[in-house]
Amino acid sequence: MEPLRFTPAGIPVVNFRLAHSSSQIEAGIGRLVQCEIAAIAVGQLAEQISKRRPEQECMVRGFIAARSRNSSQIVLHVNEIRF
Amino acid sequence: MEPLRFTPAGIPVVNFRLAHSSSQIEAGIGRLVQCEIAAIAVGQLAEQISKRRPEQECMVRGFIAARSRNSSQIVLHVNEIRF
Protein backbone atom coordinates (compact mmCIF):
# COMPACT_ATOMS: atom_id res chain seq x y z
CA MET A 1 0.00 0.00 0.00
CA GLU A 2 1.32 3.41 -0.97
CA PRO A 3 0.86 6.41 1.34
CA LEU A 4 -2.37 8.40 1.05
CA ARG A 5 -1.96 11.19 -1.48
CA PHE A 6 -4.16 14.07 -2.59
CA THR A 7 -5.16 15.26 -6.04
CA PRO A 8 -4.62 18.98 -6.86
CA ALA A 9 -8.32 19.38 -5.97
CA GLY A 10 -7.65 17.88 -2.52
CA ILE A 11 -9.32 14.49 -3.11
CA PRO A 12 -7.62 11.66 -1.18
CA VAL A 13 -6.32 8.78 -3.29
CA VAL A 14 -4.60 5.55 -2.31
CA ASN A 15 -2.86 3.08 -4.61
CA PHE A 16 -2.41 -0.47 -3.39
CA ARG A 17 -2.18 -4.06 -4.58
CA LEU A 18 -4.69 -6.82 -3.94
CA ALA A 19 -3.71 -10.49 -3.80
CA HIS A 20 -6.41 -12.99 -4.68
CA SER A 21 -6.61 -16.76 -4.30
CA SER A 22 -9.61 -18.98 -5.04
CA SER A 23 -10.84 -22.17 -6.64
CA GLN A 24 -12.54 -21.77 -10.01
CA ILE A 25 -14.07 -24.06 -12.61
CA GLU A 26 -12.83 -23.80 -16.21
CA ALA A 27 -14.21 -26.08 -18.94
CA GLY A 28 -15.56 -28.37 -16.20
CA ILE A 29 -12.23 -28.74 -14.40
CA GLY A 30 -11.43 -27.24 -11.00
CA ARG A 31 -8.32 -25.15 -10.67
CA LEU A 32 -6.61 -22.93 -8.14
CA VAL A 33 -6.35 -19.30 -9.16
CA GLN A 34 -3.91 -16.78 -7.81
CA CYS A 35 -3.29 -13.27 -8.96
CA GLU A 36 -2.26 -9.83 -7.85
CA ILE A 37 -3.88 -6.73 -9.24
CA ALA A 38 -3.12 -3.03 -8.90
CA ALA A 39 -5.95 -1.21 -7.11
CA ILE A 40 -6.96 2.37 -6.41
CA ALA A 41 -9.50 3.99 -4.13
CA VAL A 42 -10.64 7.60 -4.10
CA GLY A 43 -12.34 9.85 -1.52
CA GLN A 44 -13.48 8.68 1.91
CA LEU A 45 -12.76 5.06 0.96
CA ALA A 46 -9.11 5.95 0.29
CA GLU A 47 -8.84 7.37 3.81
CA GLN A 48 -10.41 4.25 5.34
CA ILE A 49 -8.13 1.91 3.42
CA SER A 50 -4.97 3.87 4.19
CA LYS A 51 -5.62 3.39 7.94
CA ARG A 52 -5.72 -0.41 7.60
CA ARG A 53 -2.70 -2.57 8.06
CA PRO A 54 -1.51 -4.46 4.97
CA GLU A 55 -2.17 -8.19 4.46
CA GLN A 56 -5.68 -7.91 5.88
CA GLU A 57 -8.32 -10.10 4.26
CA CYS A 58 -11.03 -8.16 2.44
CA MET A 59 -13.77 -8.36 -0.18
CA VAL A 60 -13.96 -5.61 -2.76
CA ARG A 61 -16.35 -4.47 -5.45
CA GLY A 62 -15.57 -2.00 -8.19
CA PHE A 63 -14.58 -1.81 -11.82
CA ILE A 64 -11.44 -2.22 -13.88
CA ALA A 65 -9.97 0.47 -16.10
CA ALA A 66 -6.75 1.08 -18.00
CA ARG A 67 -4.09 2.77 -15.87
CA SER A 68 -3.98 5.63 -18.36
CA ARG A 69 -5.24 6.41 -21.85
CA ASN A 70 -2.58 4.46 -23.73
CA SER A 71 -1.70 1.90 -21.09
CA SER A 72 -2.40 -1.81 -21.38
CA GLN A 73 -2.13 -2.14 -17.59
CA ILE A 74 -5.34 -2.81 -15.67
CA VAL A 75 -6.24 -1.14 -12.38
CA LEU A 76 -9.12 -2.22 -10.14
CA HIS A 77 -11.03 0.84 -8.94
CA VAL A 78 -12.49 -0.09 -5.58
CA ASN A 79 -15.98 1.31 -4.81
CA GLU A 80 -16.74 -0.91 -1.84
CA ILE A 81 -14.54 -2.81 0.60
CA ARG A 82 -15.43 -5.14 3.45
CA PHE A 83 -12.87 -6.33 6.00
CA MET B 1 -8.07 -13.05 -31.74
CA GLU B 2 -5.33 -15.66 -32.14
CA PRO B 3 -5.98 -18.87 -34.09
CA LEU B 4 -7.48 -21.81 -32.19
CA ARG B 5 -4.73 -23.97 -30.71
CA PHE B 6 -4.71 -27.29 -28.87
CA THR B 7 -2.99 -28.33 -25.65
CA PRO B 8 -0.84 -31.50 -25.73
CA ALA B 9 -3.94 -33.28 -24.34
CA GLY B 10 -5.97 -32.05 -27.34
CA ILE B 11 -8.04 -29.41 -25.50
CA PRO B 12 -8.88 -26.41 -27.72
CA VAL B 13 -7.72 -23.02 -26.45
CA VAL B 14 -8.13 -19.54 -27.86
CA ASN B 15 -6.41 -16.37 -26.73
CA PHE B 16 -8.00 -13.05 -27.58
CA ARG B 17 -8.40 -9.50 -26.34
CA LEU B 18 -11.57 -7.87 -25.05
CA ALA B 19 -12.21 -4.14 -25.30
CA HIS B 20 -14.57 -2.65 -22.73
CA SER B 21 -16.24 0.75 -22.48
CA SER B 22 -18.78 1.86 -19.88
CA SER B 23 -19.86 4.59 -17.49
CA GLN B 24 -19.00 4.02 -13.85
CA ILE B 25 -19.40 5.92 -10.60
CA GLU B 26 -16.32 6.54 -8.46
CA ALA B 27 -16.53 8.50 -5.19
CA GLY B 28 -19.91 9.81 -6.33
CA ILE B 29 -18.64 11.13 -9.67
CA GLY B 30 -19.51 9.62 -13.05
CA ARG B 31 -16.69 8.71 -15.39
CA LEU B 32 -16.14 6.97 -18.67
CA VAL B 33 -14.09 3.78 -18.42
CA GLN B 34 -12.21 2.13 -21.24
CA CYS B 35 -9.86 -0.80 -21.08
CA GLU B 36 -8.55 -3.77 -22.97
CA ILE B 37 -7.86 -7.06 -21.29
CA ALA B 38 -6.21 -10.28 -22.42
CA ALA B 39 -8.70 -13.16 -22.43
CA ILE B 40 -8.60 -16.92 -22.81
CA ALA B 41 -11.24 -19.59 -23.37
CA VAL B 42 -10.83 -23.36 -23.15
CA GLY B 43 -12.79 -26.32 -24.49
CA GLN B 44 -16.04 -26.01 -26.44
CA LEU B 45 -16.21 -22.30 -25.67
CA ALA B 46 -12.84 -21.79 -27.38
CA GLU B 47 -14.19 -23.41 -30.54
CA GLN B 48 -17.32 -21.24 -30.47
CA ILE B 49 -15.34 -18.04 -29.98
CA SER B 50 -12.79 -18.87 -32.68
CA LYS B 51 -15.63 -19.08 -35.24
CA ARG B 52 -16.82 -15.55 -34.47
CA ARG B 53 -15.61 -12.55 -36.37
CA PRO B 54 -13.61 -10.01 -34.35
CA GLU B 55 -15.08 -6.71 -33.13
CA GLN B 56 -18.40 -8.35 -32.26
CA GLU B 57 -20.17 -7.04 -29.16
CA CYS B 58 -20.42 -9.57 -26.35
CA MET B 59 -20.98 -10.03 -22.62
CA VAL B 60 -18.66 -12.34 -20.74
CA ARG B 61 -18.45 -13.92 -17.32
CA GLY B 62 -15.41 -15.64 -15.87
CA PHE B 63 -12.50 -15.05 -13.53
CA ILE B 64 -9.13 -13.33 -13.65
CA ALA B 65 -5.82 -15.06 -13.05
CA ALA B 66 -2.15 -14.28 -13.46
CA ARG B 67 -0.84 -15.17 -16.94
CA SER B 68 1.69 -17.52 -15.32
CA ARG B 69 3.06 -18.27 -11.87
CA ASN B 70 5.42 -15.31 -11.68
CA SER B 71 3.65 -12.95 -14.02
CA SER B 72 2.02 -9.70 -12.95
CA GLN B 73 -0.10 -9.74 -16.11
CA ILE B 74 -3.80 -10.45 -15.72
CA VAL B 75 -5.81 -12.70 -18.03
CA LEU B 76 -9.60 -12.97 -18.02
CA HIS B 77 -10.65 -16.62 -18.24
CA VAL B 78 -14.01 -16.65 -19.98
CA ASN B 79 -16.52 -19.24 -18.73
CA GLU B 80 -19.58 -17.80 -20.42
CA ILE B 81 -20.05 -15.55 -23.45
CA ARG B 82 -23.18 -14.03 -24.97
CA PHE B 83 -23.17 -12.34 -28.36
Side-chain angles (χ1 to χ4, degrees), chain A residues 13-48:
Chain A
V13 179
V14 69
N15 291 84
F16 55 110
R17 289 189 72 80
L18 285 167
H20 168 82
S21 175
S22 67
S23 294
Q24 299 288 340
I25 307 280
E26 183 170 44
I29 294 161
R31 52 166 289 176
L32 191 71
V33 166
Q34 288 183 302
C35 65
E36 256 193 60
I37 190 166
I40 190 169
V42 174
Q44 221 176 4
L45 201 59
E47 286 174 337
Q48 278 172 38

Side-chain angles (χ1 to χ4, degrees), chain A residues 2 37-38 42 45 49 51 53 62 65 67:
Chain A
E2 293 177 17
I37 190 166
V42 174
L45 201 59
I49 291 168
K51 285 175 193 153
R53 61 176 196 276
R67 185 179 290 276

Side-chain angles (χ1 to χ4, degrees), chain A residues 24-31, chain B residues 11-13 40-46 63 77-80:
Chain A
Q24 299 288 340
I25 307 280
E26 183 170 44
I29 294 161
R31 52 166 289 176
Chain B
I11 313 272
V13 179
I40 190 170
V42 174
Q44 223 178 2
L45 201 60
F63 59 89
H77 290 249
V78 174
N79 274 337
E80 196 186 318

